[in-house]
Amino acid sequence: MVSRVIPVESFDLVIFGGTGDLARRKIIPGLFRRYVAGQIPEEARIVGAARAELDDQGFRALAAEAIGEFVGPAKREGDAVERFLAHLSYVAVDAKGEAGWSALKAKMRPGVTQAFYFSVAPALFGDLAERLHLHGIATPEARIVVEKPFGRDLASARALNATLAAHFTEHQIYRIDHYLGKETVQNLMAVRFANILFEPLWNARHVDHVQITVAETVGVGGRGAYYDKSGAMRDMVQNHMMQLLCLIAMEAPYRFDPDAVRDEKLKVIHALEPVRPEDIVRGQYRGTKDAPSYVQDAENQSSTTESYVALKVNVANWRWKGTPFYLRTGKKLRARASEIAVVFKEVPHSIFGEEEGWRENVLSIRLQPNEGMTLSVMIKEPGPGGMRLTEVPLDMSFAEALGADGADIPDAYERLIMDVIRGNQTLFMRGDEVEAAWAWTDPIIAGWEGRGDRPKPYDAGSSGPEDALMLLHRDGRRWREIRE
Ligand code: NAP
């Protein structure tokens, strides 16, 4: 199946922080891939902006290098890179000073969709918003894209929302959570709401529990100082995992429309019960003789920041009362694997007796690697010899099923940037959602800080701390294996 590419209208996209790591690894390569796919019109312009004194040629050279490093050779055939680079230019701008702003203003074309990507440290978001306004650059329809982290608690998120709201209306603000741009995550909505099969079973009567796992093999080396002020709860749970939980738990929106979807997600966040201390396990990875420990990576010997967290979360509403959601995420784990597993209940009565090998049905939604879904079902083991049951996966790898070679599935950033240009906010977090997520997270963090809890050590390459196993064992359940 060839995926349809619907071209967007012409635009002026300014990437503040255009020389930074995120721009080099994700934004510029993503734009290039969309260009090759034929989605970016020839009139579109992309302007890099940062303090470094570069000229257009210097920025194009930087972009060419990024494309060479992060885009496969098949996409770089012919003169595609050169043609794409012709759309790029650069302005030296200081978010905290007045230099460069009039040059930027001169570049913007009237009547063309404007987007400003804030790919800079969050401390500069307010300065950028203010200067875009002060210098009369942003039109009332201009869009701004803000990166994570959006605050580090409710108070700072509220302050940031207020700063942005002083210059932009909510319909102009696109808060990125790149998990929402993943193909599988959107497919979750399609599977739930475009099929009759699952929805009748999608509730506490039929779902035993849900597991959401985001496991990484990398440590925090390189960004240890940043991570140490954040930890797994702030870095992964409050945003990405909360969004996944919302998409699993939410009611059907009345329409696939930005506010209808976000209203339903918000109701889920409001329905989350406070998490009890005994339902949280925090961990920190140990070192080995060849690999540094967390505290070495973070360069903070007394750090009590968690590089792993597991929680049992209850959604207190009619649909989910009694069905726990178990969340876990961590660094330096055994495999890089992200999965949502919806584990269904047993049949009410087994006509086959105590059948060995019997397993509950599980719908597994893999986010990485190899995005796709698997539904495990029980069938009869083939051959004579009576009725023996065996579990088989109904496997749907998106890359295979859709005839894509994996490289053709757009990266989350590609899709999200195109949504900004189209003016579609469905896959972006609304201000009230972010605040509600922090309002749920803050007491959890305050709880362990108040108790002086220390994270449990775990071995690099393991599945996390032993105590996390107990979180499920004591409920008569077990974590699914973490494997690629
Ligand atoms: P980075 O590598 O440190 O790049 C920062 C960029 O901001 C550079 O282009 C820098 O260029 C520019 N900059 C710094 N001070 C400036 C100022 N006063 N005025 C104008 N430009 C300024 O950071 P990054 O990793 O790309 O991260 C950018 C944003 O994305 C952050 O909010 C981060 O939290 C978020 N994010 C990053 C990643 C990632 O994988 N990197 C992932 C998720 C979210 P000059 O120094 O030349 O000005």
Side-chain angles (χ1 to χ4, degrees):
M1 188 188 302
V2 179
S3 66
R4 270 190 309 153
V5 174
I6 303 167
V8 296
E9 285 185 6
S10 183
F11 60 84
D12 285 346
L13 167 67
V14 178
I15 311 169
F16 290 111
T19 58
D21 179 64
L22 185 70
R24 289 187 60 259
R25 284 192 309 111
K26 294 289 181 186
I27 305 173
I28 295 169
L31 285 164
F32 173 68
R33 283 193 213 97
R34 288 296 91 207
Y35 178 76
V36 174
Q39 202 162 20
I40 294 188
E42 286 304 329
E43 309 76 47
R45 290 195 195 156
I46 298 160
V47 182
R51 288 169 307 176
E53 289 296 339
L54 289 178
D55 57 13
D56 292 349
Q57 283 314 321
F59 183 59
R60 286 177 188 151
L62 179 145
E65 211 181 292
I67 292 166
E69 193 174 345
F70 298 108
V71 180
K75 299 250 185 260
R76 290 188 267 122
E77 277 177 357
D79 60 354
V81 177
E82 226 164 275
R83 285 190 291 113
F84 172 73
L85 293 179
H87 295 256
L88 269 53
S89 64
Y90 182 82
V91 190
V93 163
D94 184 353
K96 287 194 158 304
E98 305 318 317
W101 289 94
S102 48
L104 179 60
K105 184 173 182 177
K107 279 196 175 277
M108 307 306 290
R109 295 170 294 172
V112 170
T113 298
Q114 284 186 350
F116 299 95
Y117 199 127
F118 292 6
S119 183
V120 295
L124 298 176
F125 292 171
D127 296 300
L128 291 178
E130 199 175 317
R131 288 202 161 71
L132 281 172
H133 177 76
L134 266 179
H135 293 272
I137 297 175
T139 64
E141 288 306 315
R143 292 146 204 174
I144 58 168
V145 185
V146 289
E147 263 298 334
K148 82 167 216 186
F150 199 91
R152 56 171 280 109
D153 52 21
L154 178 57
S156 53
R158 270 193 184 140
L160 186 48
N161 271 335
T163 305
L164 298 180
H167 306 295
F168 294 93
T169 59
E170 184 62 37
H171 83 269
Q172 295 180 281
I173 305 171
Y174 290 70
R175 294 176 193 78
I176 289 251
D177 185 322
H178 72 273
Y179 269 56
L180 290 178
K182 288 179 185 281
E183 190 74 13
T184 334
V185 174
Q186 292 165 72
N187 241 314
L188 186 54
M189 282 189 275
V191 164
R192 279 195 65 193
F193 302 128
N195 296 285
I196 195 71
L197 281 179
F198 295 107
E199 213 42 33
L201 303 179
W202 210 260
N203 55 52
R205 273 186 65 204
H206 301 290
V207 176
D208 181 71
H209 70 282
V210 176
Q211 296 186 18
I212 305 180
T213 301
V214 177
E216 296 178 279
T217 49
V218 293
V220 299
R223 57 193 279 265
Y226 157 77
Y227 190 91
D228 202 41
K229 294 197 200 76
S230 159
M233 189 73 192
R234 287 191 172 97
D235 193 47
M236 291 299 304
V237 178
Q238 183 274 342
N239 39 40
H240 308 314
M241 297 184 85
M242 173 75 77
Q243 290 294 323
L244 300 181
L245 188 156
C246 285
L247 295 178
I248 294 278
M250 74 182 189
E251 299 299 318
Y254 67 91
R255 203 170 49 211
F256 192 61
D257 155 283
D259 278 326
V261 171
R262 297 185 300 178
D263 286 347
E264 294 306 332
K265 287 195 292 164
L266 183 62
K267 286 185 207 161
V268 174
I269 305 175
H270 285 316
L272 298 180
E273 287 181 356
V275 180
R276 301 178 310 169
E278 59 270 35
D279 289 340
I280 305 167
V281 177
R282 295 165 69 232
Q284 204 181 65
Y285 57 83
R286 292 191 187 103
T288 61
K289 67 178 185 355
D290 305 316
S293 64
Y294 175 82
V295 292
Q296 285 169 317
D297 274 343
E299 295 177 13
N300 177 4
Q301 282 304 319
S302 56
S303 173
T304 57
T305 301
E306 75 284 355
S307 59
Y308 176 100
V309 68
L311 325 142
K312 176 180 174 181
V313 178
N314 294 309
V315 183
N317 61 20
W318 276 36
R319 187 190 279 262
W320 293 114
K321 187 71 185 173
T323 294
F325 287 67
Y326 299 99
L327 275 48
R328 67 178 161 167
T329 180
K331 305 246 174 225
K332 285 262 174 112
L333 294 178
R334 98 165 12 143
R336 175 172 174 265
S338 299
E339 181 202 57
I340 301 167
V342 180
V343 182
F344 290 92
K345 290 191 168 166
E346 296 180 9
V347 291
H349 165 68
S350 170
I351 64 167
F352 304 109
E354 290 296 303
E355 183 56 55
E356 220 172 272
W358 184 88
R359 293 268 185 282
E360 60 281 83
N361 299 125
V362 179
L363 178 67
S364 156
I365 301 137
R366 287 186 311 277
L367 274 61
Q368 63 190 23
N370 185 18
E371 291 192 53
M373 293 195 193
T374 308
L375 177 66
S376 69
V377 292
M378 298 306 295
I379 61 159
K380 178 190 167 298
E381 207 174 275
M387 181 63 103
R388 289 189 308 272
L389 300 182
T390 188
E391 183 190 22
V392 291
L394 294 182
D395 207 340
M396 193 172 79
S397 151
F398 293 149
E400 279 172 30
L402 302 178
D405 63 0
D408 283 337
I409 296 182
D411 174 78
Y413 277 92
E414 290 175 47
R415 173 180 312 273
L416 293 175
I417 297 170
M418 289 300 103
D419 279 357
V420 173
I421 304 298
R422 280 194 209 94
N424 184 346
Q425 289 185 304
T426 310
L427 300 175
F428 296 83
M429 292 180 297
R430 210 168 52 191
D432 52 359
E433 256 186 281
V434 181
E435 289 186 17
W438 280 120
W440 176 79
T441 310
D442 275 3
I444 299 174
I445 295 176
W448 72 55
E449 284 179 352
R451 293 189 299 276
D453 287 355
R454 297 191 68 81
K456 313 277 183 208
Y458 63 94
D459 290 332
S462 70
S463 306
E466 287 286 309
D467 289 32
L469 300 180
M470 288 312 298
L471 196 64
L472 270 76
H473 273 189
R474 61 164 205 228
D475 294 344
R477 301 180 174 116
R478 64 198 146 77
W479 286 112
R480 286 165 60 79
E481 210 181 307
I482 299 177
R483 58 165 186 234
E484 283 191 11

